[in-house]
Amino acid sequence: MNSTTDNEAILRGVLDRWKAAVDGHEPEEVAAQFTEDAIFQGLRPYSVGRPGIAAYYDSQPLGMAAAYRILETRRPADHLVLGYLAVDFSFTDRPTVGVTLGVLVERTDDGWRIGHYQVSRLP
């Protein structure tokens, strides 16, 4: 399993669960899509671990939704998939925020989880 199609399928498996939890404003479920020691960089200072991720998403407004598009994938090792994505976060009361997102997903005993998440807001 090393093709772009396989890599995208792995990413979609994790990111579809992440998206559903973001859209449903379920911060604990969002955090469950990450490894216990995940490095997380949203649009505020970074955190490490699920509690910081849950707090970040709990602070997001109700009605926020995510739409992602995979731009690139790489497979640095059999148990890792690197993804580079375009993500639009939409809101009920303000304009959509477009970002780029780099994720590294890891195969764990609980399935594929996000081990590193870094957002960039490009001009």
Side-chain angles (χ1 to χ4, degrees), residues 11 14-15 18 33-42 46-49 53 80-85 101-106 108 112-120:
L11 287 173
V14 176
L15 293 169
W18 166 83
Q33 304 317 309
F34 291 77
T35 62
E36 294 283 345
D37 63 348
I39 299 169
F40 178 85
Q41 175 68 63
Y46 83 98
S47 64
V48 176
I53 296 163
L80 300 171
V81 177
L82 177 67
Y84 184 66
L85 306 101
L101 172 63
V103 294
L104 183 66
V105 299
E106 305 174 20
T108 70
W112 291 93
R113 298 287 183 264
I114 302 166
H116 184 263
Y117 175 108
Q118 184 163 359
V119 165
S120 296

PDB file of all heavy atoms in Angstrom, residues 11 14-15 18 33-42 46-49 53 80-85 101-106 108 112-120:
ATOM      1  N   LEU A  11      -5.843   8.919   4.479  1.00  0.00           N
ATOM      2  CA  LEU A  11      -6.120  10.276   4.956  1.00  0.00           C
ATOM      3  C   LEU A  11      -7.610  10.537   5.066  1.00  0.00           C
ATOM      4  O   LEU A  11      -8.082  11.079   6.077  1.00  0.00           O
ATOM      5  CB  LEU A  11      -5.480  11.311   4.030  1.00  0.00           C
ATOM      6  CG  LEU A  11      -3.961  11.446   4.108  1.00  0.00           C
ATOM      7  CD1 LEU A  11      -3.458  12.384   3.015  1.00  0.00           C
ATOM      8  CD2 LEU A  11      -3.526  11.933   5.477  1.00  0.00           C
ATOM      9  N   VAL A  14      -9.298   9.094   8.211  1.00  0.00           N
ATOM     10  CA  VAL A  14      -9.095   9.890   9.430  1.00  0.00           C
ATOM     11  C   VAL A  14      -9.792  11.236   9.311  1.00  0.00           C
ATOM     12  O   VAL A  14     -10.499  11.669  10.231  1.00  0.00           O
ATOM     13  CB  VAL A  14      -7.584  10.099   9.689  1.00  0.00           C
ATOM     14  CG1 VAL A  14      -7.361  11.001  10.898  1.00  0.00           C
ATOM     15  CG2 VAL A  14      -6.867   8.780   9.867  1.00  0.00           C
ATOM     16  N   LEU A  15      -9.588  11.919   8.193  1.00  0.00           N
ATOM     17  CA  LEU A  15     -10.095  13.289   8.054  1.00  0.00           C
ATOM     18  C   LEU A  15     -11.612  13.359   7.931  1.00  0.00           C
ATOM     19  O   LEU A  15     -12.210  14.355   8.343  1.00  0.00           O
ATOM     20  CB  LEU A  15      -9.420  13.977   6.872  1.00  0.00           C
ATOM     21  CG  LEU A  15      -7.923  14.212   7.082  1.00  0.00           C
ATOM     22  CD1 LEU A  15      -7.254  14.647   5.791  1.00  0.00           C
ATOM     23  CD2 LEU A  15      -7.675  15.212   8.196  1.00  0.00           C
ATOM     24  N   TRP A  18     -12.621  13.337  11.494  1.00  0.00           N
ATOM     25  CA  TRP A  18     -12.269  14.653  12.042  1.00  0.00           C
ATOM     26  C   TRP A  18     -13.303  15.690  11.612  1.00  0.00           C
ATOM     27  O   TRP A  18     -13.826  16.439  12.432  1.00  0.00           O
ATOM     28  CB  TRP A  18     -10.854  15.023  11.577  1.00  0.00           C
ATOM     29  CG  TRP A  18     -10.462  16.442  11.768  1.00  0.00           C
ATOM     30  CD1 TRP A  18      -9.985  17.010  12.912  1.00  0.00           C
ATOM     31  CD2 TRP A  18     -10.497  17.479  10.781  1.00  0.00           C
ATOM     32  NE1 TRP A  18      -9.720  18.352  12.692  1.00  0.00           N
ATOM     33  CE2 TRP A  18     -10.025  18.660  11.393  1.00  0.00           C
ATOM     34  CE3 TRP A  18     -10.883  17.532   9.438  1.00  0.00           C
ATOM     35  CZ2 TRP A  18      -9.926  19.868  10.718  1.00  0.00           C
ATOM     36  CZ3 TRP A  18     -10.780  18.733   8.757  1.00  0.00           C
ATOM     37  CH2 TRP A  18     -10.310  19.884   9.393  1.00  0.00           C
ATOM     38  N   GLN A  33      -9.381  11.675  17.276  1.00  0.00           N
ATOM     39  CA  GLN A  33      -8.806  11.367  15.958  1.00  0.00           C
ATOM     40  C   GLN A  33      -7.294  11.596  15.950  1.00  0.00           C
ATOM     41  O   GLN A  33      -6.627  11.346  14.948  1.00  0.00           O
ATOM     42  CB  GLN A  33      -9.474  12.203  14.866  1.00  0.00           C
ATOM     43  CG  GLN A  33     -10.975  12.056  14.813  1.00  0.00           C
ATOM     44  CD  GLN A  33     -11.448  10.624  14.955  1.00  0.00           C
ATOM     45  OE1 GLN A  33     -10.978   9.734  14.243  1.00  0.00           O
ATOM     46  NE2 GLN A  33     -12.358  10.386  15.882  1.00  0.00           N
ATOM     47  N   PHE A  34      -6.755  12.047  17.071  1.00  0.00           N
ATOM     48  CA  PHE A  34      -5.332  12.342  17.212  1.00  0.00           C
ATOM     49  C   PHE A  34      -4.666  11.321  18.126  1.00  0.00           C
ATOM     50  O   PHE A  34      -5.326  10.701  18.963  1.00  0.00           O
ATOM     51  CB  PHE A  34      -5.146  13.742  17.809  1.00  0.00           C
ATOM     52  CG  PHE A  34      -5.538  14.864  16.880  1.00  0.00           C
ATOM     53  CD1 PHE A  34      -6.868  15.178  16.671  1.00  0.00           C
ATOM     54  CD2 PHE A  34      -4.564  15.593  16.220  1.00  0.00           C
ATOM     55  CE1 PHE A  34      -7.230  16.219  15.822  1.00  0.00           C
ATOM     56  CE2 PHE A  34      -4.909  16.622  15.363  1.00  0.00           C
ATOM     57  CZ  PHE A  34      -6.244  16.935  15.146  1.00  0.00           C
ATOM     58  N   THR A  35      -3.351  11.181  17.986  1.00  0.00           N
ATOM     59  CA  THR A  35      -2.598  10.349  18.922  1.00  0.00           C
ATOM     60  C   THR A  35      -2.590  11.031  20.287  1.00  0.00           C
ATOM     61  O   THR A  35      -2.838  12.234  20.400  1.00  0.00           O
ATOM     62  CB  THR A  35      -1.146  10.134  18.432  1.00  0.00           C
ATOM     63  OG1 THR A  35      -0.480  11.399  18.372  1.00  0.00           O
ATOM     64  CG2 THR A  35      -1.102   9.445  17.077  1.00  0.00           C
ATOM     65  N   GLU A  36      -2.295  10.263  21.322  1.00  0.00           N
ATOM     66  CA  GLU A  36      -2.258  10.808  22.686  1.00  0.00           C
ATOM     67  C   GLU A  36      -1.255  11.952  22.811  1.00  0.00           C
ATOM     68  O   GLU A  36      -1.462  12.876  23.590  1.00  0.00           O
ATOM     69  CB  GLU A  36      -1.899   9.705  23.689  1.00  0.00           C
ATOM     70  CG  GLU A  36      -2.940   8.613  23.818  1.00  0.00           C
ATOM     71  CD  GLU A  36      -4.140   9.036  24.649  1.00  0.00           C
ATOM     72  OE1 GLU A  36      -4.069  10.050  25.363  1.00  0.00           O
ATOM     73  OE2 GLU A  36      -5.158   8.330  24.581  1.00  0.00           O
ATOM     74  N   ASP A  37      -0.152  11.889  22.054  1.00  0.00           N
ATOM     75  CA  ASP A  37       0.922  12.878  22.164  1.00  0.00           C
ATOM     76  C   ASP A  37       1.028  13.777  20.928  1.00  0.00           C
ATOM     77  O   ASP A  37       2.092  14.321  20.627  1.00  0.00           O
ATOM     78  CB  ASP A  37       2.254  12.187  22.422  1.00  0.00           C
ATOM     79  CG  ASP A  37       2.669  11.276  21.270  1.00  0.00           C
ATOM     80  OD1 ASP A  37       1.844  10.982  20.371  1.00  0.00           O
ATOM     81  OD2 ASP A  37       3.839  10.850  21.252  1.00  0.00           O
ATOM     82  N   ALA A  38      -0.069  13.953  20.223  1.00  0.00           N
ATOM     83  CA  ALA A  38      -0.055  14.724  18.977  1.00  0.00           C
ATOM     84  C   ALA A  38       0.400  16.163  19.210  1.00  0.00           C
ATOM     85  O   ALA A  38       0.035  16.795  20.198  1.00  0.00           O
ATOM     86  CB  ALA A  38      -1.448  14.731  18.349  1.00  0.00           C
ATOM     87  N   ILE A  39       1.179  16.653  18.252  1.00  0.00           N
ATOM     88  CA  ILE A  39       1.547  18.069  18.210  1.00  0.00           C
ATOM     89  C   ILE A  39       0.483  18.756  17.368  1.00  0.00           C
ATOM     90  O   ILE A  39       0.237  18.359  16.229  1.00  0.00           O
ATOM     91  CB  ILE A  39       2.937  18.265  17.588  1.00  0.00           C
ATOM     92  CG1 ILE A  39       4.000  17.538  18.419  1.00  0.00           C
ATOM     93  CG2 ILE A  39       3.263  19.753  17.457  1.00  0.00           C
ATOM     94  CD1 ILE A  39       5.351  17.466  17.743  1.00  0.00           C
ATOM     95  N   PHE A  40      -0.148  19.774  17.937  1.00  0.00           N
ATOM     96  CA  PHE A  40      -1.279  20.438  17.292  1.00  0.00           C
ATOM     97  C   PHE A  40      -1.022  21.936  17.184  1.00  0.00           C
ATOM     98  O   PHE A  40      -0.793  22.609  18.190  1.00  0.00           O
ATOM     99  CB  PHE A  40      -2.559  20.202  18.111  1.00  0.00           C
ATOM    100  CG  PHE A  40      -3.763  20.878  17.542  1.00  0.00           C
ATOM    101  CD1 PHE A  40      -4.508  20.258  16.555  1.00  0.00           C
ATOM    102  CD2 PHE A  40      -4.146  22.137  17.979  1.00  0.00           C
ATOM    103  CE1 PHE A  40      -5.628  20.886  16.021  1.00  0.00           C
ATOM    104  CE2 PHE A  40      -5.255  22.773  17.447  1.00  0.00           C
ATOM    105  CZ  PHE A  40      -6.001  22.145  16.463  1.00  0.00           C
ATOM    106  N   GLN A  41      -1.057  22.452  15.965  1.00  0.00           N
ATOM    107  CA  GLN A  41      -0.903  23.889  15.726  1.00  0.00           C
ATOM    108  C   GLN A  41      -2.075  24.363  14.903  1.00  0.00           C
ATOM    109  O   GLN A  41      -2.132  24.154  13.696  1.00  0.00           O
ATOM    110  CB  GLN A  41       0.400  24.174  14.965  1.00  0.00           C
ATOM    111  CG  GLN A  41       0.573  25.631  14.581  1.00  0.00           C
ATOM    112  CD  GLN A  41       0.784  26.526  15.779  1.00  0.00           C
ATOM    113  OE1 GLN A  41       1.757  26.383  16.479  1.00  0.00           O
ATOM    114  NE2 GLN A  41      -0.148  27.432  16.017  1.00  0.00           N
ATOM    115  N   GLY A  42      -3.044  24.974  15.569  1.00  0.00           N
ATOM    116  CA  GLY A  42      -4.147  25.624  14.875  1.00  0.00           C
ATOM    117  C   GLY A  42      -3.742  27.058  14.573  1.00  0.00           C
ATOM    118  O   GLY A  42      -2.590  27.326  14.265  1.00  0.00           O
ATOM    119  N   TYR A  46       0.566  26.478  19.888  1.00  0.00           N
ATOM    120  CA  TYR A  46       0.444  25.027  19.773  1.00  0.00           C
ATOM    121  C   TYR A  46       0.195  24.362  21.119  1.00  0.00           C
ATOM    122  O   TYR A  46       0.410  24.940  22.180  1.00  0.00           O
ATOM    123  CB  TYR A  46       1.690  24.447  19.105  1.00  0.00           C
ATOM    124  CG  TYR A  46       2.867  24.204  20.031  1.00  0.00           C
ATOM    125  CD1 TYR A  46       3.095  22.932  20.542  1.00  0.00           C
ATOM    126  CD2 TYR A  46       3.740  25.222  20.390  1.00  0.00           C
ATOM    127  CE1 TYR A  46       4.164  22.691  21.385  1.00  0.00           C
ATOM    128  CE2 TYR A  46       4.807  24.995  21.224  1.00  0.00           C
ATOM    129  CZ  TYR A  46       5.017  23.724  21.724  1.00  0.00           C
ATOM    130  OH  TYR A  46       6.069  23.488  22.560  1.00  0.00           O
ATOM    131  N   SER A  47      -0.258  23.105  21.046  1.00  0.00           N
ATOM    132  CA  SER A  47      -0.415  22.274  22.234  1.00  0.00           C
ATOM    133  C   SER A  47       0.060  20.869  21.882  1.00  0.00           C
ATOM    134  O   SER A  47       0.257  20.533  20.713  1.00  0.00           O
ATOM    135  CB  SER A  47      -1.874  22.251  22.714  1.00  0.00           C
ATOM    136  OG  SER A  47      -2.711  21.660  21.748  1.00  0.00           O
ATOM    137  N   VAL A  48       0.239  20.073  22.912  1.00  0.00           N
ATOM    138  CA  VAL A  48       0.629  18.683  22.735  1.00  0.00           C
ATOM    139  C   VAL A  48      -0.374  17.827  23.497  1.00  0.00           C
ATOM    140  O   VAL A  48      -0.608  18.058  24.684  1.00  0.00           O
ATOM    141  CB  VAL A  48       2.065  18.419  23.245  1.00  0.00           C
ATOM    142  CG1 VAL A  48       2.421  16.941  23.131  1.00  0.00           C
ATOM    143  CG2 VAL A  48       3.080  19.268  22.473  1.00  0.00           C
ATOM    144  N   GLY A  49      -0.974  16.878  22.803  1.00  0.00           N
ATOM    145  CA  GLY A  49      -1.897  15.957  23.444  1.00  0.00           C
ATOM    146  C   GLY A  49      -3.363  16.298  23.236  1.00  0.00           C
ATOM    147  O   GLY A  49      -3.717  17.411  22.854  1.00  0.00           O
ATOM    148  N   ILE A  53      -6.142  19.795  22.277  1.00  0.00           N
ATOM    149  CA  ILE A  53      -6.904  19.747  21.024  1.00  0.00           C
ATOM    150  C   ILE A  53      -8.393  19.897  21.320  1.00  0.00           C
ATOM    151  O   ILE A  53      -9.092  20.672  20.664  1.00  0.00           O
ATOM    152  CB  ILE A  53      -6.602  18.434  20.269  1.00  0.00           C
ATOM    153  CG1 ILE A  53      -5.123  18.400  19.854  1.00  0.00           C
ATOM    154  CG2 ILE A  53      -7.526  18.271  19.065  1.00  0.00           C
ATOM    155  CD1 ILE A  53      -4.616  17.027  19.468  1.00  0.00           C
ATOM    156  N   LEU A  80       3.249   5.625   8.292  1.00  0.00           N
ATOM    157  CA  LEU A  80       3.038   7.072   8.262  1.00  0.00           C
ATOM    158  C   LEU A  80       2.530   7.537   6.906  1.00  0.00           C
ATOM    159  O   LEU A  80       2.986   7.053   5.874  1.00  0.00           O
ATOM    160  CB  LEU A  80       4.353   7.814   8.537  1.00  0.00           C
ATOM    161  CG  LEU A  80       5.051   7.570   9.859  1.00  0.00           C
ATOM    162  CD1 LEU A  80       6.432   8.214   9.853  1.00  0.00           C
ATOM    163  CD2 LEU A  80       4.206   8.107  11.011  1.00  0.00           C
ATOM    164  N   VAL A  81       1.598   8.490   6.916  1.00  0.00           N
ATOM    165  CA  VAL A  81       1.163   9.165   5.690  1.00  0.00           C
ATOM    166  C   VAL A  81       1.170  10.661   5.966  1.00  0.00           C
ATOM    167  O   VAL A  81       0.585  11.121   6.952  1.00  0.00           O
ATOM    168  CB  VAL A  81      -0.242   8.718   5.226  1.00  0.00           C
ATOM    169  CG1 VAL A  81      -0.680   9.503   3.989  1.00  0.00           C
ATOM    170  CG2 VAL A  81      -0.272   7.223   4.946  1.00  0.00           C
ATOM    171  N   LEU A  82       1.847  11.387   5.089  1.00  0.00           N
ATOM    172  CA  LEU A  82       1.913  12.841   5.172  1.00  0.00           C
ATOM    173  C   LEU A  82       0.908  13.408   4.196  1.00  0.00           C
ATOM    174  O   LEU A  82       0.835  12.978   3.043  1.00  0.00           O
ATOM    175  CB  LEU A  82       3.329  13.300   4.808  1.00  0.00           C
ATOM    176  CG  LEU A  82       3.594  14.794   4.776  1.00  0.00           C
ATOM    177  CD1 LEU A  82       3.488  15.388   6.168  1.00  0.00           C
ATOM    178  CD2 LEU A  82       4.972  15.053   4.186  1.00  0.00           C
ATOM    179  N   GLY A  83       0.117  14.356   4.655  1.00  0.00           N
ATOM    180  CA  GLY A  83      -0.863  14.995   3.784  1.00  0.00           C
ATOM    181  C   GLY A  83      -0.736  16.499   3.823  1.00  0.00           C
ATOM    182  O   GLY A  83      -0.449  17.082   4.875  1.00  0.00           O
ATOM    183  N   TYR A  84      -0.925  17.116   2.669  1.00  0.00           N
ATOM    184  CA  TYR A  84      -0.960  18.576   2.547  1.00  0.00           C
ATOM    185  C   TYR A  84      -2.309  18.894   1.940  1.00  0.00           C
ATOM    186  O   TYR A  84      -2.669  18.356   0.880  1.00  0.00           O
ATOM    187  CB  TYR A  84       0.195  19.054   1.666  1.00  0.00           C
ATOM    188  CG  TYR A  84       0.300  20.550   1.557  1.00  0.00           C
ATOM    189  CD1 TYR A  84       0.613  21.331   2.662  1.00  0.00           C
ATOM    190  CD2 TYR A  84       0.076  21.183   0.344  1.00  0.00           C
ATOM    191  CE1 TYR A  84       0.717  22.710   2.555  1.00  0.00           C
ATOM    192  CE2 TYR A  84       0.176  22.565   0.231  1.00  0.00           C
ATOM    193  CZ  TYR A  84       0.503  23.314   1.342  1.00  0.00           C
ATOM    194  OH  TYR A  84       0.592  24.679   1.233  1.00  0.00           O
ATOM    195  N   LEU A  85      -3.091  19.748   2.628  1.00  0.00           N
ATOM    196  CA  LEU A  85      -4.485  19.961   2.255  1.00  0.00           C
ATOM    197  C   LEU A  85      -4.848  21.440   2.205  1.00  0.00           C
ATOM    198  O   LEU A  85      -4.213  22.264   2.859  1.00  0.00           O
ATOM    199  CB  LEU A  85      -5.406  19.307   3.292  1.00  0.00           C
ATOM    200  CG  LEU A  85      -5.160  17.843   3.587  1.00  0.00           C
ATOM    201  CD1 LEU A  85      -4.380  17.696   4.875  1.00  0.00           C
ATOM    202  CD2 LEU A  85      -6.465  17.120   3.696  1.00  0.00           C
ATOM    203  N   LEU A 101      -3.182  22.990   5.419  1.00  0.00           N
ATOM    204  CA  LEU A 101      -3.005  22.111   6.569  1.00  0.00           C
ATOM    205  C   LEU A 101      -2.044  20.993   6.215  1.00  0.00           C
ATOM    206  O   LEU A 101      -2.216  20.321   5.193  1.00  0.00           O
ATOM    207  CB  LEU A 101      -4.371  21.520   6.973  1.00  0.00           C
ATOM    208  CG  LEU A 101      -4.378  20.422   8.032  1.00  0.00           C
ATOM    209  CD1 LEU A 101      -3.844  20.951   9.360  1.00  0.00           C
ATOM    210  CD2 LEU A 101      -5.785  19.862   8.198  1.00  0.00           C
ATOM    211  N   GLY A 102      -1.056  20.822   7.053  1.00  0.00           N
ATOM    212  CA  GLY A 102      -0.165  19.674   6.954  1.00  0.00           C
ATOM    213  C   GLY A 102      -0.482  18.720   8.076  1.00  0.00           C
ATOM    214  O   GLY A 102      -0.590  19.132   9.237  1.00  0.00           O
ATOM    215  N   VAL A 103      -0.684  17.454   7.747  1.00  0.00           N
ATOM    216  CA  VAL A 103      -0.934  16.429   8.760  1.00  0.00           C
ATOM    217  C   VAL A 103      -0.007  15.244   8.531  1.00  0.00           C
ATOM    218  O   VAL A 103       0.350  14.924   7.394  1.00  0.00           O
ATOM    219  CB  VAL A 103      -2.404  15.927   8.771  1.00  0.00           C
ATOM    220  CG1 VAL A 103      -3.358  17.013   9.200  1.00  0.00           C
ATOM    221  CG2 VAL A 103      -2.807  15.342   7.436  1.00  0.00           C
ATOM    222  N   LEU A 104       0.377  14.638   9.626  1.00  0.00           N
ATOM    223  CA  LEU A 104       1.088  13.373   9.574  1.00  0.00           C
ATOM    224  C   LEU A 104       0.229  12.380  10.331  1.00  0.00           C
ATOM    225  O   LEU A 104      -0.021  12.569  11.531  1.00  0.00           O
ATOM    226  CB  LEU A 104       2.471  13.488  10.218  1.00  0.00           C
ATOM    227  CG  LEU A 104       3.336  12.228  10.146  1.00  0.00           C
ATOM    228  CD1 LEU A 104       3.717  11.925   8.692  1.00  0.00           C
ATOM    229  CD2 LEU A 104       4.582  12.385  10.998  1.00  0.00           C
ATOM    230  N   VAL A 105      -0.289  11.376   9.629  1.00  0.00           N
ATOM    231  CA  VAL A 105      -1.111  10.366  10.289  1.00  0.00           C
ATOM    232  C   VAL A 105      -0.267   9.127  10.520  1.00  0.00           C
ATOM    233  O   VAL A 105       0.594   8.779   9.709  1.00  0.00           O
ATOM    234  CB  VAL A 105      -2.424  10.056   9.528  1.00  0.00           C
ATOM    235  CG1 VAL A 105      -3.301  11.291   9.426  1.00  0.00           C
ATOM    236  CG2 VAL A 105      -2.158   9.487   8.168  1.00  0.00           C
ATOM    237  N   GLU A 106      -0.517   8.495  11.663  1.00  0.00           N
ATOM    238  CA  GLU A 106       0.258   7.334  12.100  1.00  0.00           C
ATOM    239  C   GLU A 106      -0.674   6.142  12.299  1.00  0.00           C
ATOM    240  O   GLU A 106      -1.771   6.300  12.818  1.00  0.00           O
ATOM    241  CB  GLU A 106       0.937   7.627  13.441  1.00  0.00           C
ATOM    242  CG  GLU A 106       1.801   8.852  13.469  1.00  0.00           C
ATOM    243  CD  GLU A 106       2.329   9.157  14.867  1.00  0.00           C
ATOM    244  OE1 GLU A 106       2.341   8.251  15.735  1.00  0.00           O
ATOM    245  OE2 GLU A 106       2.712  10.302  15.093  1.00  0.00           O
ATOM    246  N   THR A 108      -1.697   3.303  14.488  1.00  0.00           N
ATOM    247  CA  THR A 108      -1.571   2.970  15.904  1.00  0.00           C
ATOM    248  C   THR A 108      -2.357   1.687  16.174  1.00  0.00           C
ATOM    249  O   THR A 108      -3.024   1.153  15.281  1.00  0.00           O
ATOM    250  CB  THR A 108      -2.136   4.106  16.790  1.00  0.00           C
ATOM    251  OG1 THR A 108      -3.567   4.134  16.655  1.00  0.00           O
ATOM    252  CG2 THR A 108      -1.539   5.466  16.408  1.00  0.00           C
ATOM    253  N   TRP A 112      -5.588   4.430  12.340  1.00  0.00           N
ATOM    254  CA  TRP A 112      -4.863   5.621  11.902  1.00  0.00           C
ATOM    255  C   TRP A 112      -5.311   6.829  12.702  1.00  0.00           C
ATOM    256  O   TRP A 112      -6.515   7.065  12.858  1.00  0.00           O
ATOM    257  CB  TRP A 112      -5.087   5.850  10.411  1.00  0.00           C
ATOM    258  CG  TRP A 112      -4.438   4.810   9.558  1.00  0.00           C
ATOM    259  CD1 TRP A 112      -5.015   3.663   9.082  1.00  0.00           C
ATOM    260  CD2 TRP A 112      -3.089   4.808   9.080  1.00  0.00           C
ATOM    261  NE1 TRP A 112      -4.110   2.953   8.338  1.00  0.00           N
ATOM    262  CE2 TRP A 112      -2.913   3.631   8.315  1.00  0.00           C
ATOM    263  CE3 TRP A 112      -2.012   5.688   9.218  1.00  0.00           C
ATOM    264  CZ2 TRP A 112      -1.705   3.316   7.696  1.00  0.00           C
ATOM    265  CZ3 TRP A 112      -0.807   5.371   8.594  1.00  0.00           C
ATOM    266  CH2 TRP A 112      -0.671   4.203   7.855  1.00  0.00           C
ATOM    267  N   ARG A 113      -4.336   7.599  13.204  1.00  0.00           N
ATOM    268  CA  ARG A 113      -4.595   8.800  13.992  1.00  0.00           C
ATOM    269  C   ARG A 113      -3.624   9.905  13.558  1.00  0.00           C
ATOM    270  O   ARG A 113      -2.536   9.635  13.073  1.00  0.00           O
ATOM    271  CB  ARG A 113      -4.415   8.554  15.493  1.00  0.00           C
ATOM    272  CG  ARG A 113      -5.367   7.521  16.084  1.00  0.00           C
ATOM    273  CD  ARG A 113      -6.780   8.073  16.183  1.00  0.00           C
ATOM    274  NE  ARG A 113      -7.697   7.153  16.806  1.00  0.00           N
ATOM    275  CZ  ARG A 113      -8.496   6.310  16.152  1.00  0.00           C
ATOM    276  NH1 ARG A 113      -8.462   6.242  14.852  1.00  0.00           N
ATOM    277  NH2 ARG A 113      -9.326   5.527  16.807  1.00  0.00           N
ATOM    278  N   ILE A 114      -4.016  11.151  13.788  1.00  0.00           N
ATOM    279  CA  ILE A 114      -3.186  12.304  13.447  1.00  0.00           C
ATOM    280  C   ILE A 114      -2.150  12.504  14.550  1.00  0.00           C
ATOM    281  O   ILE A 114      -2.503  12.680  15.712  1.00  0.00           O
ATOM    282  CB  ILE A 114      -4.045  13.571  13.290  1.00  0.00           C
ATOM    283  CG1 ILE A 114      -5.121  13.371  12.221  1.00  0.00           C
ATOM    284  CG2 ILE A 114      -3.153  14.782  12.960  1.00  0.00           C
ATOM    285  CD1 ILE A 114      -6.214  14.432  12.222  1.00  0.00           C
ATOM    286  N   GLY A 115      -0.870  12.489  14.167  1.00  0.00           N
ATOM    287  CA  GLY A 115       0.217  12.697  15.127  1.00  0.00           C
ATOM    288  C   GLY A 115       0.779  14.100  15.080  1.00  0.00           C
ATOM    289  O   GLY A 115       1.403  14.558  16.035  1.00  0.00           O
ATOM    290  N   HIS A 116       0.573  14.769  13.957  1.00  0.00           N
ATOM    291  CA  HIS A 116       1.044  16.149  13.797  1.00  0.00           C
ATOM    292  C   HIS A 116       0.055  16.884  12.909  1.00  0.00           C
ATOM    293  O   HIS A 116      -0.382  16.350  11.886  1.00  0.00           O
ATOM    294  CB  HIS A 116       2.436  16.165  13.169  1.00  0.00           C
ATOM    295  CG  HIS A 116       3.023  17.538  13.056  1.00  0.00           C
ATOM    296  ND1 HIS A 116       2.963  18.258  11.915  1.00  0.00           N
ATOM    297  CD2 HIS A 116       3.670  18.301  13.966  1.00  0.00           C
ATOM    298  CE1 HIS A 116       3.554  19.429  12.091  1.00  0.00           C
ATOM    299  NE2 HIS A 116       3.993  19.479  13.342  1.00  0.00           N
ATOM    300  N   TYR A 117      -0.288  18.117  13.306  1.00  0.00           N
ATOM    301  CA  TYR A 117      -1.307  18.922  12.621  1.00  0.00           C
ATOM    302  C   TYR A 117      -0.807  20.355  12.645  1.00  0.00           C
ATOM    303  O   TYR A 117      -0.577  20.905  13.730  1.00  0.00           O
ATOM    304  CB  TYR A 117      -2.611  18.768  13.389  1.00  0.00           C
ATOM    305  CG  TYR A 117      -3.794  19.586  12.951  1.00  0.00           C
ATOM    306  CD1 TYR A 117      -4.870  18.987  12.310  1.00  0.00           C
ATOM    307  CD2 TYR A 117      -3.898  20.947  13.250  1.00  0.00           C
ATOM    308  CE1 TYR A 117      -6.005  19.705  11.967  1.00  0.00           C
ATOM    309  CE2 TYR A 117      -5.025  21.684  12.900  1.00  0.00           C
ATOM    310  CZ  TYR A 117      -6.077  21.056  12.252  1.00  0.00           C
ATOM    311  OH  TYR A 117      -7.194  21.773  11.912  1.00  0.00           O
ATOM    312  N   GLN A 118      -0.611  20.953  11.475  1.00  0.00           N
ATOM    313  CA  GLN A 118      -0.132  22.339  11.438  1.00  0.00           C
ATOM    314  C   GLN A 118      -0.864  23.118  10.366  1.00  0.00           C
ATOM    315  O   GLN A 118      -0.810  22.788   9.184  1.00  0.00           O
ATOM    316  CB  GLN A 118       1.356  22.399  11.199  1.00  0.00           C
ATOM    317  CG  GLN A 118       1.864  23.826  11.263  1.00  0.00           C
ATOM    318  CD  GLN A 118       3.359  23.909  11.444  1.00  0.00           C
ATOM    319  OE1 GLN A 118       4.052  22.915  11.547  1.00  0.00           O
ATOM    320  NE2 GLN A 118       3.861  25.118  11.485  1.00  0.00           N
ATOM    321  N   VAL A 119      -1.525  24.178  10.810  1.00  0.00           N
ATOM    322  CA  VAL A 119      -2.281  25.059   9.919  1.00  0.00           C
ATOM    323  C   VAL A 119      -1.412  26.257   9.543  1.00  0.00           C
ATOM    324  O   VAL A 119      -0.669  26.783  10.373  1.00  0.00           O
ATOM    325  CB  VAL A 119      -3.563  25.562  10.624  1.00  0.00           C
ATOM    326  CG1 VAL A 119      -4.182  26.737   9.902  1.00  0.00           C
ATOM    327  CG2 VAL A 119      -4.568  24.431  10.754  1.00  0.00           C
ATOM    328  N   SER A 120      -1.535  26.692   8.293  1.00  0.00           N
ATOM    329  CA  SER A 120      -0.922  27.933   7.826  1.00  0.00           C
ATOM    330  C   SER A 120      -2.002  28.766   7.156  1.00  0.00           C
ATOM    331  O   SER A 120      -2.794  28.233   6.388  1.00  0.00           O
ATOM    332  CB  SER A 120       0.187  27.659   6.815  1.00  0.00           C
ATOM    333  OG  SER A 120       1.232  26.955   7.394  1.00  0.00           O
TER     334      SER A 120
END
